[in-house]
Amino acid sequence: MDKTFEEEQQHLTEVYATIVKLRDELTEELEIHQQQAEEDLERMSEELHPDTFGVDADEIMETLAAIETLNSVIDAYNQRRDYAKERMQRVLALLRQPYFAKVRLKLMPNRPAQDIYIGAVGLTNDSLMPLVVDWRSPVAETYYNQENGRTSYKVDGRTKHVDLELRRQFDIKANKLLMYFDTTVAIEDSLLLGALQRHHSEKLQAITATIQREQNEVVRHDDVPVLLVAGIAGSGKTSVLLQRIAYLFYQERDRLEPRQVSLFTPNAVFGKYIDSVLPSLGESNPLVYTWRTFMETQELAGRDIGADSDPALLKRLEEAVPTLDIQIEDLRDIRLDGETLLNAKQLKSALDKYARYPLGPRRMGFVLDELYSRLNRRFGALAHSEEMQEATLALDIEEQEDIFGDIIGDDADNEQKMIEYTRKYVEYRFGKVRDLIDYCDWLRIDRIGEHVLDGHSLNATEWLWLWLLITGGGSKETRYVMVDEVQDYSISQLMLLAKFYPKAHFLLLGDEHQAIREGTATWDEIREVFTKSHGGVEECSLLTSYRSSPEITELFSSLLSAEERGTLSSVRRAGVMPLVKAFDDTDAYLEQLRALAKEGQDADGLTAIVANDTRRVSWLSKQLGEGVQVLKKNDTLPKSGVILLDLALAKGLEFDHVIVSDAQREVYPDTPLARRRLYTAISRAMHRASVLAQGELTPLLDAYLS
């Protein structure tokens, strides 16, 4: 028996016992807490008198105070329960795999080396000594550096030099050690190669245990205003992005909240595909958007989303805004609950009061202050009106308690007191009008924009851009914006994101060879947009394919220039040669496609038939029958079987077997766009790729076949 294996198994057994003990303690704590909460709440509820009929005012006030106390107790119990549940979630993650690696570090010259075990989350013993170190901790960087001997890691901006004597990886399931590997070179990592041989899963998996050095440079990169990551197909861009988010949450545990991070994904299917990664690492998902859902949150649903907006129009708007003279026709009354609180004349007057300033955020700041003052005066006038005072008196007891904190009672006879109550009621009833003022809902943005652009109707991107130019709005609280598949965004979209999130740091990931639409931004244009908005762009590259076999990598990389092909590599073990075949006869083509679909239905893993567009998907669906599932934009990926989808929906996803179903010349002519689209389609494949043409084969594969 391997002595090292025995020692590591013994250590694992001891750590696992500690985790089990912690789980049992938390389980007991949650059960006792639940029982205590139920008893306390039952006792306090019995003391309440919710029926106020025939009860005097003092007793009503006592009851309301008791209800408030009960609510506070409930809140306290909920906070304790949520904290315990969060700890339990992390403990359960460790029960699945307590750790995945170990490093032996000589921290001080005259002291013995120290063994440090690294896992998805950290764990300490009763003496607060670390049993497992979180993979995001500074010292864990020595594992990802993949350098035995002299190495370093950063702590609070300072570099600490140490000697790495051992780098060991584990394959562990619960409390069983299956294998261990001592290694120094990334592409020889047995754990990595084993993971890459597995079949597709319906959800993207965390790569915490197998992060490679070039990926780690992105994950732990210094916090810069803009980081642009160019990665080839299958290089783990999305996985790296999610690990980066988890790393940032760890680094700023007490300062960064999930709502302060926004992630832009190519489509809803992709959003569902990645939604379990961060929870598996003990973190909450950030705000996740597609371009369409982002516009919907800005209340711009129903408009053309403006993905292809002409940046020249945005620049025209930007140049025109400072000298615009807003007319009364460009304004709308501010109304709420049937009441006009500020009319267009008053709004125009406020704008004219500060006409010495150019139109834009500074002027609007003064205007908003002026509108708040006028609104306060309007509220004061309403508080004196008989109609509002009568509405105040008509409130039932619960409404009075909610609004005033007490009940009116005999105070109604005191004129000044009645005015004070009515003022509070007015504030309560019309308080949301401040949001309308803040949002500048009283500006008729469409009319203003059409005037500047000679009648051109604004799409969602143009509308929001103009609104930002005038108001200076946008998200000031968002600290990080992550854009996946950035090569599919237009210049206008990126200009808008940069302006909407002026204080956020951006992580932009993509592959310029996977830009599958005309009119998207080039790498140089991306740099230009963010250099102008954020002062500069730092860059990283990911040049190793972890998704596709060497044979598939050779196929899709044949679509690149010879120089680019020389920089790419695959770490996968040798696999199956791709099938590339053209058919002159439609029946023969369909027979081959059906045969491959039948193989996919009988095999493990997921087979994807990728068609050029939705029209082709519709035709193929009729030919292939019910055994093939048509994947729609809001569906979740199945774990196995055969699916049919268009190329746009396949973006960012991966499949065991990809069948490119329409690789004929007319679909993929010898053009840069067609080359990028074919590269994208083929590179979705992990283990097998089949390229079929109904007619003459695309000339783009001539170099591969020669």
Side-chain angles (χ1 to χ4, degrees):
M1 185 69 175
D2 184 342
K3 183 179 179 182
T4 299
F5 189 97
E6 290 180 343
E7 292 173 350
E8 292 292 2
Q9 178 61 67
Q10 178 62 31
H11 180 82
L12 173 61
T13 301
E14 293 170 1
V15 171
Y16 199 83
T18 301
I19 300 171
V20 170
K21 179 184 176 185
L22 182 55
R23 178 202 61 191
D24 294 343
E25 290 172 351
L26 282 170
T27 301
E28 183 179 4
E29 179 184 333
L30 283 166
E31 289 174 352
I32 293 173
H33 173 266
Q34 179 69 22
Q35 181 180 352
Q36 181 182 352
E38 290 174 356
E39 291 173 356
D40 286 351
L41 296 177
E42 182 179 357
R43 174 180 53 79
M44 295 181 70
S45 297
E46 289 173 353
E47 297 174 359
L48 298 178
H49 302 285
D51 187 359
T52 57
F53 182 75
V55 179
D56 64 34
D58 289 342
E59 288 187 71
I60 291 173
M61 293 303 298
E62 290 178 7
T63 298
L64 293 173
I67 291 174
E68 186 174 345
T69 300
L70 177 59
N71 288 335
S72 299
V73 171
I74 292 172
D75 289 342
Y77 275 128
N78 287 339
Q79 288 177 2
R80 287 172 56 194
R81 180 201 61 199
D82 291 344
Y83 176 69
K85 280 188 172 181
E86 182 183 347
R87 290 177 64 206
M88 178 64 86
Q89 181 183 1
R90 299 170 74 83
V91 167
L92 293 177
L94 287 173
L95 285 173
R96 292 190 292 272
Q97 186 187 52
Y99 47 81
F100 56 79
K102 162 184 168 179
V103 290
R104 181 170 295 155
L105 297 178
K106 194 171 184 62
L107 303 172
M108 302 288 288
N110 299 321
R111 294 186 182 180
Q114 181 178 344
D115 286 345
I116 297 171
Y117 289 82
I118 302 168
V121 295
L123 178 70
T124 58
N125 61 18
D126 293 336
S127 303
L128 299 181
M129 295 297 292
L131 292 176
V132 180
V133 168
D134 192 296
W135 69 275
R136 297 163 291 186
S137 68
V139 72
E141 186 176 356
T142 58
Y143 168 74
Y144 295 109
N145 285 343
Q146 298 170 342
E147 292 177 339
N148 276 24
R150 199 65 173 165
T151 187
S152 64
Y153 61 95
K154 291 183 179 179
V155 184
D156 297 329
R158 299 190 306 274
T159 299
K160 186 173 179 62
H161 295 278
V162 295
D163 289 314
L164 176 62
E165 297 184 354
L166 176 72
R167 180 176 181 270
R168 179 168 291 164
Q169 297 174 287
F170 301 105
D171 189 359
I172 290 173
K173 186 173 183 180
N175 61 345
K176 299 294 183 184
L177 175 61
L178 304 177
M179 287 182 288
Y180 75 90
F181 315 96
D182 291 346
T183 182
T184 59
V185 184
I187 62 173
E188 294 177 359
D189 283 353
S190 299
L191 194 64
L192 170 64
L193 294 174
L196 295 178
Q197 290 301 112
R198 296 171 187 151
H199 287 294
H200 151 89
S201 61
E202 66 271 32
K203 296 285 188 179
L204 183 67
Q205 304 297 306
I207 61 168
T208 311
T210 58
I211 294 172
Q212 299 303 289
R213 183 166 184 173
E214 65 174 11
Q215 296 171 326
N216 187 55
E217 289 175 1
V218 178
V219 172
R220 296 177 184 260
H221 198 282
D222 291 342
D223 192 6
V224 296
V226 182
L227 180 60
L228 176 60
V229 180
I232 68 164
S235 58
K237 294 183 294 295
T238 300
S239 295
V240 166
L241 179 153
L242 294 168
Q243 302 283 160
R244 170 72 170 173
I245 294 174
Y247 178 75
L248 291 170
F249 280 144
Y250 178 85
Q251 291 293 102
E252 303 197 43
R253 173 64 61 196
D254 300 323
R255 301 185 299 276
L256 182 62
E257 300 177 21
R259 64 181 179 82
Q260 293 176 300
V261 181
S262 292
L263 169 58
F264 284 80
T265 67
N267 53 59
V269 171
F270 186 81
K272 292 179 181 179
Y273 177 55
I274 66 173
D275 64 10
S276 64
V277 173
L278 286 168
S280 75
L281 298 173
E283 303 293 353
S284 299
N285 280 317
L287 301 177
V288 181
Y289 301 110
T290 63
W291 191 254
R292 184 173 298 281
T293 59
F294 170 65
M295 287 303 179
E296 288 171 357
T297 63
Q298 304 307 310
E299 300 183 3
L300 293 169
R303 289 178 184 254
D304 174 358
I305 59 175
D308 298 316
S309 292
D310 184 351
L313 293 181
L314 302 191
K315 291 173 182 175
R316 277 182 62 187
L317 290 170
E318 187 171 24
E319 292 167 358
V321 162
T323 59
L324 280 180
D325 182 16
I326 302 295
Q327 301 299 313
I328 196 167
E329 293 82 13
D330 298 326
L331 308 172
R332 61 169 63 92
D333 295 345
I334 298 179
R335 294 177 56 82
L336 188 65
D337 198 16
E339 188 79 30
T340 298
L341 298 167
L342 293 171
N343 61 39
K345 274 189 177 179
Q346 292 170 301
L347 301 173
K348 172 65 172 167
S349 170
L351 279 164
D352 289 345
K353 183 174 180 179
Y354 298 98
R356 63 186 179 277
Y357 299 107
L359 185 63
R362 185 184 182 196
R363 181 175 174 187
M364 292 304 294
F366 291 124
V367 170
L368 293 185
D369 288 342
E370 178 67 21
L371 294 181
Y372 297 145
S373 297
R374 297 186 183 197
L375 181 66
N376 284 332
R377 292 196 291 272
R378 175 69 173 138
F379 280 178
L382 287 172
H384 284 78
S385 74
E386 291 185 10
E387 181 182 353
M388 284 297 165
Q389 291 182 5
E390 289 174 3
T392 303
L393 290 172
L395 296 169
D396 62 33
I397 290 175
E398 288 186 1
E399 289 173 325
Q400 291 180 34
E401 173 62 25
D402 285 343
I403 298 171
F404 311 127
D406 59 9
I407 56 176
I408 295 176
D410 296 337
D411 288 343
D413 295 332
N414 184 311
E415 181 179 357
Q416 186 57 38
K417 278 286 188 182
M418 194 62 227
I419 291 172
E420 291 175 7
Y421 279 120
T422 306
R423 175 60 185 254
K424 287 184 179 179
Y425 170 63
V426 169
E427 291 272 2
Y428 174 84
R429 178 171 166 180
F430 300 114
K432 290 183 179 178
V433 77
R434 290 189 174 86
D435 292 336
L436 301 180
I437 292 175
D438 283 341
Y439 190 72
C440 296
D441 189 62
W442 42 276
L443 283 171
R444 298 174 64 184
I445 296 293
D446 280 301
R447 191 180 188 282
I448 298 169
E450 289 173 9
H451 174 72
V452 174
L453 300 179
D454 304 320
H456 171 79
S457 296
L458 302 184
N459 59 39
T461 298
E462 293 155 357
W463 191 100
L464 191 53
W465 175 260
L466 179 55
W467 179 80
L468 291 170
L469 290 172
I470 295 175
T471 67
S475 176
K476 305 300 191 294
E477 294 184 353
T478 301
R479 295 184 55 198
Y480 295 97
V481 177
M482 315 296 190
V483 183
D484 204 0
E485 305 288 348
V486 69
Q487 75 281 345
D488 285 333
Y489 287 75
S490 67
I491 297 174
S492 293
Q493 287 176 297
L494 298 176
M495 288 171 63
L496 183 63
L497 288 179
K499 185 170 283 292
F500 191 88
Y501 297 104
K503 296 184 178 180
H505 284 191
F506 279 77
L507 176 59
L508 312 170
L509 299 96
D511 177 1
E512 57 187 329
H513 299 298
Q514 293 188 65
I516 64 172
R517 296 189 302 113
E518 290 282 15
T520 54
T522 65
W523 239 236
D524 284 340
E525 288 167 337
I526 294 171
R527 294 185 189 99
E528 182 180 351
V529 167
F530 285 95
T531 298
K532 179 180 178 182
S533 65
H534 284 67
V537 176
E538 293 195 21
E539 299 186 44
C540 290
S541 296
L542 300 173
L543 300 175
T544 304
S545 174
Y546 304 99
R547 174 193 298 143
S548 303
S549 67
E551 294 82 2
I552 296 170
T553 302
E554 181 184 358
L555 175 58
F556 70 71
S557 64
S558 72
L559 298 164
L560 307 179
S561 68
E563 181 182 358
E564 289 170 315
R565 288 198 300 272
T567 65
L568 309 186
S569 63
S570 169
V571 300
R572 296 286 299 268
R573 295 188 177 104
V576 180
M577 287 298 296
L579 169 67
V580 180
K581 197 168 184 179
F583 299 85
D584 294 329
D585 180 69
T586 298
D587 290 339
Y589 162 79
L590 289 174
E591 182 181 352
Q592 176 71 78
L593 188 56
R594 289 176 183 135
L596 291 172
K598 180 64 169 61
E599 286 180 26
Q601 291 162 5
D602 297 337
D604 294 330
L606 184 62
T607 295
I609 302 172
V610 179
N612 183 58
D613 53 34
T614 55
R615 185 170 57 180
R616 181 74 174 179
V617 166
S618 179
W619 182 79
L620 286 173
S621 175
K622 295 173 184 176
Q623 312 307 315
L624 297 173
E626 296 181 357
V628 175
Q629 175 191 343
V630 176
L631 195 74
K632 296 183 172 62
K633 64 180 181 179
N634 290 315
D635 289 346
T636 299
L637 278 182
K639 185 174 183 179
S640 59
V642 183
I643 60 172
L644 171 63
L645 72 167
D646 66 281
L647 178 57
L649 207 54
K651 289 285 297 184
L653 304 178
E654 60 185 26
F655 312 97
D656 293 288
H657 182 189
V658 167
I659 303 168
V660 180
S661 62
D662 42 14
Q664 49 267 25
R665 176 185 286 271
E666 59 265 32
V667 176
Y668 293 103
D670 190 359
T671 66
L673 177 61
R675 187 178 296 274
R676 296 195 299 268
R677 291 177 67 84
L678 186 58
Y679 170 97
T680 303
I682 296 172
S683 63
R684 303 303 92 207
M686 298 168 63
H687 306 297
R688 286 186 63 191
S690 300
V691 181
L692 306 183
Q694 186 185 3
E696 184 183 354
L697 185 69
T698 171
L700 297 174
L701 293 179
D702 288 350
Y704 173 77
L705 296 172
S706 61

